[in-house]
Amino acid sequence: MATADERGNGIHIGSVRGALAIGDHNTVTHYEGGAAPADPAQEELLRAVRALRDDLSRAVESPQITALSGELAETEAEIADGGAAGPGRLARLRTALADAGAVVGLLASGAAVSQAVAALAGG
């Protein structure tokens, strides 16, 4: 909160949480809770992962769906916290997608994740 000092001059700022800019023509960008994906391909993967997680929440549970759901959650967290899913994560996600292929193949969101992983993992 901004207040005048004892003489009525100036501004005192008690505390700030987040981002702050002072002066004209400033721009502030603040990402709470982790790095934002800088790579558009990682951003696309994040959107596709979230859509597939949502779709899988309505699927009949099986060991393959449970494993895929876990990999999707870990992938989402890795991108949200670090800005990108690493090669190891992409490989594990690709394996989980293949193992749950029967269900994933029926979902448009599954195809989107598969395409995004293939683009990032090279093939």
Side-chain angles (χ1 to χ4, degrees):
M1 184 172 132
T3 60
D5 66 13
E6 295 82 33
R7 297 171 302 207
N9 298 323
I11 295 175
H12 170 75
I13 300 174
S15 65
V16 174
R17 180 168 186 235
L20 172 72
I22 298 174
D24 295 333
H25 312 293
N26 288 314
T27 301
V28 175
T29 303
H30 175 73
Y31 295 101
E32 184 89 23
D39 181 2
Q42 291 284 344
E43 205 169 298
E44 179 58 34
L45 176 59
L46 181 58
R47 279 192 298 272
V49 161
R50 288 175 173 161
L52 182 54
R53 285 189 71 199
D54 186 49
D55 288 345
L56 287 179
S57 71
R58 294 181 291 276
V60 175
E61 279 295 315
S62 71
Q64 295 82 10
I65 296 299
T66 300
L68 177 56
S69 294
E71 284 301 327
L72 290 168
E74 291 294 322
T75 301
E76 181 177 356
E78 191 169 315
I79 296 170
D81 293 342
R89 174 68 56 208
L90 294 173
R92 288 187 296 278
L93 181 56
R94 181 180 269 175
T95 299
L97 286 164
D99 291 347
V103 173
V104 172
L106 298 173
L107 301 170
S109 58
V113 171
S114 295
Q115 290 171 352
V117 169
L120 286 166

